[in-house]
Amino acid sequence: MAGVFDMVYQQSLVDPECFWRDAAAAIDWSKSWDSILDSSNSPFNKWFSGAECNTCHNAVDRHVEAGRGDQTAIIYDSPITGKKRKISYTELQDKVARCAGALRQLGVEKGDRVIIYMPMVPQTAVAMLACARLGAIHSVVFGGFAPNELATRVTDAKPKAIVAASCGIEPGRIIDYMPIVDEALSLSPHHVPNVIVLQREESLAELKSGRDHDWKAVMEAAEGVDCVPVKATDPLYILYTSGTTGEPKGVVRDNGGHMVALKWSMKNIYNTEPGEVYWAASDVGWVVGHSYIVYAPLLHGCTTVLFEGKPVGTPDAGVFWRVISEHNVSTLFTAPTAFRAIKREDPNGALLNDYDIGSLRTLFLAGERLDPDTLNWAEEHLKVPVIDHWWQTESGWPIAANCPGIEALPIKPGSPTRAVPGYNVQVLDPSGKEVERGEMGAICIQLPMPPSCLPTLWNADERFVESYMSDYPGYYESGDAGYMDEDGYIFVMARTDDIINVAGHRLSTGAMEEVLADHPDVAECAVIGVEDTLKGQLPLGFLVLNAGVSKGGDTISSEVVKMVRERIGPVAAFKSAVVVDRLPKTRSGKILRGTMASIADSKEYKQPATIDDPAILPEIEAVLKTIGYAGK
Ligand code: COA
Ligand code: AMP
């Protein structure tokens, strides 16, 4: 007999318009839609076409009007600075309305872009919601990126203003943001006339007269403004994510579909009620932060925790338990790497004895493959269900998950369970046919995708089609490979492109290769992802040097490490590159990166039939052994 989950899932696929119309009733619309799903120009599908709404109204004002004004909307807990603060929905409404007023004073209106380059402080959420209030499109840039990456985003998004902080704080060091902003603006041909700067007392920035405006001063001077109705299909934000080249992809998120899917997910996937405390321990610079630190918990009337710290070292591996017990967290969401870090420091979970984490109902993990060891450790020590779920920047919410709000299904380690209602996930062979259950293939989603999934890439409709829709017509290609078992459980095993996943962060090895290739002494290069017990994967570079180079290999290796840090940023975690005589290739000249990665990880591999010179593989293995990889 079909269970409740099966019934809900079937309804979502048989009649998606009916399914999402029901879900849309949980959102306030200022004008109703003409059509729920307009697929007349597929793959550019539009949800709730013709409708008008405002995301900030639904996330903030609506709750104040409904009597939730005194409830805490945001808990800021910053072990790195020792600060804590609670902001009620009423206070949040006031701050957001005034921030929107300040942006408007600087000429920002509906449809304009605003780049937000800020750390994990409540003002970041205020700035995002202020843009939403005006109908302006925000693009948040993660603090661990270098000026060059910020410049690329400025050039593509062409913002009218930037909202930045004077600094971010990492354990043991302060990162001054304004020199990064200055350099990015000097690198970009796009002129940004106004920058609002939040001065943090840990390091004050020198403001540039005529361009920079002090956050506190503009907030005090500004008048609050009301929510501006936007089309459901208008962009709410652009979030850049790694593509296969150095050019990041600007994933666009709409207003209406995004709200409907996120609000629906809070009860049905996360099983969370309005008024509860929800904590996504991620960073607002990533999609998890957009969706589950800011928008979804607020749309649902929850209290969200904004945590400025690390799972270990701020001050110790008990900080997650301290935050859960102190703030009564009922749902925690983070990446497996955070739990691997905690487990490494406190293998027996001794620090859990210092806190009462009885409020915690469920732990959700995503961002990378959840290894069975981490799953078992978390289940054993937290004594709550641990749910692996799979999604991407492109979807904005889970594609596969156990949905305890509908019906908790049995957990199979290694699988994020089944496709979430709304997603028709299929595993395809290269000809586009569904493979047998248990067989590996490309994980794809049949069109139309549910609300919130990217309608396109910013200024790049062609790239959108070419990147996701061209290899498997009628489907969205996720870029992940894996299989589905007899029960419909999905197993996500690897990327099909050159994306690697470092500490839950998505990075392009292609972008790193572009940097390495720029070194004057490097003739050829390759970057692969090697397995790492803490971060899941780490990038490793291979360099073939030009003939007659006088510098030592070690010197060149450290120079390219420095170049990647300067051009992409510390978040790339690119710490090693080795010099080799030659790279293994196919006869047509394609570098065998996958084979090199298998050798590095001591995995069995088949020598490709098309290999040009098999003698190179033992050479690579020998070099890898000298740095502690291969042959384990
Ligand atoms: N601003 C500036 N620099 C940053 C940064 C930021 N916002 N975030 C990270 N960095 C820097 C780090 O300081 C580090 O620099 P270093 O090379 O000088 O040490 C580098 O970027 C790599 O950072 P990270 O990969 O985070 O490694 P880490 O060693 O600092 O921490 C973990 C390891 C596992 C504790 C950390 O990655 C973590 O908490 N992960 C949680 C997962 C997560 O939030 N994923 C997001 C998707 S859900
Ligand atoms: P991002 O767009 O940064 O969220 O990264 C998305 C990618 O992270 C996916 O395409 C997967 O490769 C990987 N990923 C995310 N969640 C999971 C998961 N639960 N299991 C395996 N891989 C995951």
Side-chain angles (χ1 to χ4, degrees):
M1 201 182 78
V4 185
F5 178 82
D6 287 312
M7 267 165 40
V8 175
Y9 183 69
Q10 277 313 318
Q11 279 165 5
S12 78
L13 295 197
V14 170
D15 193 348
E17 297 198 51
C18 173
F19 186 88
W20 292 111
R21 184 191 57 219
D22 289 351
I27 297 298
D28 276 357
W29 306 88
S30 45
K31 177 175 175 284
S32 190
W33 45 82
D34 301 326
S35 70
I36 294 175
L37 172 64
D38 173 3
S39 45
S40 57
N41 188 26
S42 190
F44 300 97
N45 296 316
K46 291 181 177 168
W47 284 97
F48 307 106
S49 209
E52 287 183 3
C53 54
N54 184 282
T55 296
C56 180
H57 165 80
N58 277 282
V60 183
D61 301 59
R62 176 187 183 181
H63 301 308
V64 177
E65 285 161 20
R68 219 176 257 288
D70 292 338
Q71 183 195 308
T72 302
I74 297 177
I75 297 172
Y76 169 56
D77 189 314
S78 169
I80 208 144
T81 61
K83 295 197 173 97
K84 288 180 201 168
R85 224 171 113 199
K86 289 186 176 171
I87 299 169
S88 70
Y89 270 99
T90 302
E91 279 175 82
L92 183 61
Q93 183 185 35
D94 174 59
K95 286 179 194 305
V96 170
R98 277 189 295 120
C99 183
L103 285 167
R104 182 174 279 169
Q105 282 278 311
L106 298 177
V108 175
E109 294 292 350
K110 181 151 101 177
D112 291 335
R113 274 79 59 210
V114 175
I115 281 197
I116 300 177
Y117 188 60
M118 295 178 84
M120 285 290 287
V121 290
Q123 290 86 346
T124 311
V126 169
M128 291 164 77
L129 290 160
C131 291
R133 194 172 190 86
L134 289 175
I137 303 163
H138 62 70
S139 187
V140 181
V141 180
F142 178 65
F145 283 122
N148 185 50
E149 291 286 324
L150 180 57
T152 312
R153 287 149 176 81
V154 169
T155 305
D156 196 57
K158 300 191 174 39
K160 262 229 172 118
I162 294 181
V163 185
S166 58
C167 68
I169 306 162
E170 282 292 289
R173 75 195 154 101
I174 286 185
I175 297 123
D176 287 319
Y177 277 13
M178 290 314 288
I180 298 175
V181 171
D182 290 342
E183 194 180 333
L185 291 184
S186 72
L187 288 170
S188 171
H190 175 71
H191 171 68
V192 180
N194 292 298
V195 181
I196 299 181
V197 184
L198 172 75
Q199 293 282 22
R200 301 188 77 190
E201 64 184 20
E202 290 77 12
S203 179
L204 298 179
E206 211 172 290
L207 301 190
K208 282 201 166 29
S209 152
R211 185 197 73 180
D212 296 348
H213 310 268
D214 175 59
W215 168 283
K216 197 156 168 268
V218 294
M219 285 289 277
E220 274 165 14
E223 299 225 349
V225 298
D226 283 338
C227 294
V228 175
V230 296
K231 288 194 197 123
T233 48
D234 279 344
L236 169 69
Y237 69 76
I238 308 165
L239 180 57
Y240 289 89
T241 189
S242 298
T244 46
T245 65
E247 283 297 302
K249 294 169 171 167
V251 169
V252 173
R253 189 83 57 219
D254 67 8
N255 275 275
H258 177 241
M259 280 196 280
V260 172
L262 258 53
K263 171 85 174 105
W264 184 90
S265 74
M266 285 301 284
K267 173 63 195 147
N268 292 282
I269 300 179
Y270 296 99
N271 201 18
T272 299
E273 301 296 338
E276 291 185 336
V277 182
Y278 183 98
W279 178 24
S282 175
D283 189 288
V284 275
W286 307 115
V287 68
V288 173
H290 281 60
S291 296
Y292 291 103
I293 295 174
V294 181
Y295 288 112
L298 296 180
L299 286 166
H300 202 47
C302 288
T303 298
T304 185
V305 180
L306 215 135
F307 171 76
E308 190 182 24
K310 301 264 174 178
V312 293
T314 59
D316 58 29
V319 69
F320 272 28
W321 325 139
R322 197 266 297 157
V323 172
I324 293 169
S325 70
E326 197 172 318
H327 304 305
N328 250 343
V329 171
S330 62
T331 311
L332 171 62
F333 176 175
T334 190
T337 188
F339 267 75
R340 287 198 296 270
I342 294 170
K343 178 171 150 234
R344 195 165 74 165
E345 298 264 309
D346 183 18
N348 299 318
L351 291 165
L352 272 158
N353 297 327
D354 299 346
Y355 304 96
D356 174 4
I357 62 158
S359 61
L360 187 69
R361 217 170 31 236
T362 323
L363 167 66
F364 286 86
L365 296 171
E368 55 175 326
R369 195 172 151 70
L370 173 57
D371 52 289
D373 272 1
T374 306
L375 170 68
N376 294 340
W377 189 92
E379 276 178 340
E380 186 190 332
H381 290 92
L382 268 56
K383 301 186 175 50
V384 296
V386 178
I387 295 186
D388 176 15
H389 58 328
W390 167 62
W391 51 297
Q392 310 183 304
T393 305
E394 287 84 347
S395 65
W397 67 297
I399 306 170
N402 211 333
C403 299
I406 303 174
E407 179 193 5
L409 298 177
I411 287 171
K412 296 193 190 186
S415 168
T417 316
R418 290 175 45 185
V420 163
Y423 289 99
N424 186 351
V425 176
Q426 296 179 22
V427 181
L428 305 181
D429 70 14
S431 74
K433 269 208 354 254
E434 217 176 334
V435 298
E436 297 285 322
R437 293 293 163 107
E439 264 181 39
M440 285 280 284
I443 308 181
C444 296
I445 302 166
Q446 193 171 47
L447 299 179
M449 295 208 283
S452 167
C453 293
L454 79 171
T456 190
L457 293 173
W458 182 252
N459 277 339
D461 284 350
E462 263 176 39
R463 190 176 181 197
F464 168 72
V465 175
E466 180 203 314
S467 307
Y468 304 108
M469 313 289 179
S470 53
D471 285 353
Y472 300 93
Y475 291 85
Y476 162 85
E477 184 183 5
S478 70
D480 283 310
Y483 64 93
M484 204 184 271
D485 75 4
E486 291 297 336
D487 301 321
Y489 279 59
I490 295 165
F491 291 76
V492 182
M493 305 306 289
R495 289 289 304 191
T496 54
D497 52 18
D498 66 359
I499 301 286
I500 57 169
N501 201 310
V502 180
H505 309 322
R506 169 169 161 179
L507 298 164
S508 158
T509 54
M512 296 185 216
E513 288 179 3
E514 284 176 21
V515 178
L516 268 45
D518 253 8
H519 190 290
D521 295 330
V522 171
E524 262 192 306
C525 64
V527 175
I528 60 166
V530 291
E531 283 178 2
D532 181 74
T533 50
L534 174 65
K535 297 194 179 185
Q537 280 186 301
L538 276 180
L540 172 66
F542 292 84
L543 310 171
V544 178
L545 303 184
N546 289 321
V549 167
S550 55
K551 268 189 206 161
D554 286 352
T555 308
I556 296 171
S557 293
S558 30
E559 283 172 1
V560 298
V561 165
K562 193 159 162 269
M563 282 167 72
V564 174
R565 195 174 171 95
E566 279 168 5
R567 294 218 206 148
I568 297 179
V571 68
F574 184 85
K575 306 253 163 153
S576 36
V578 286
V579 174
V580 292
D581 289 337
R582 38 199 194 147
L583 291 168
K585 292 185 188 164
T586 61
R587 283 190 284 277
S588 60
K590 197 169 165 285
I591 298 172
L592 293 165
R593 294 179 183 80
T595 310
M596 290 160 78
S598 297
I599 296 174
D601 296 336
S602 314
K603 282 191 184 143
E604 271 186 32
Y605 66 92
K606 260 209 230 129
Q607 183 174 297
T610 52
I611 191 164
D612 184 35
D613 180 357
I616 304 180
L617 295 182
E619 289 174 22
I620 294 288
E621 184 167 352
V623 172
L624 283 166
K625 277 186 180 160
T626 64
I627 54 164
Y629 293 104
K632 272 177 252 160

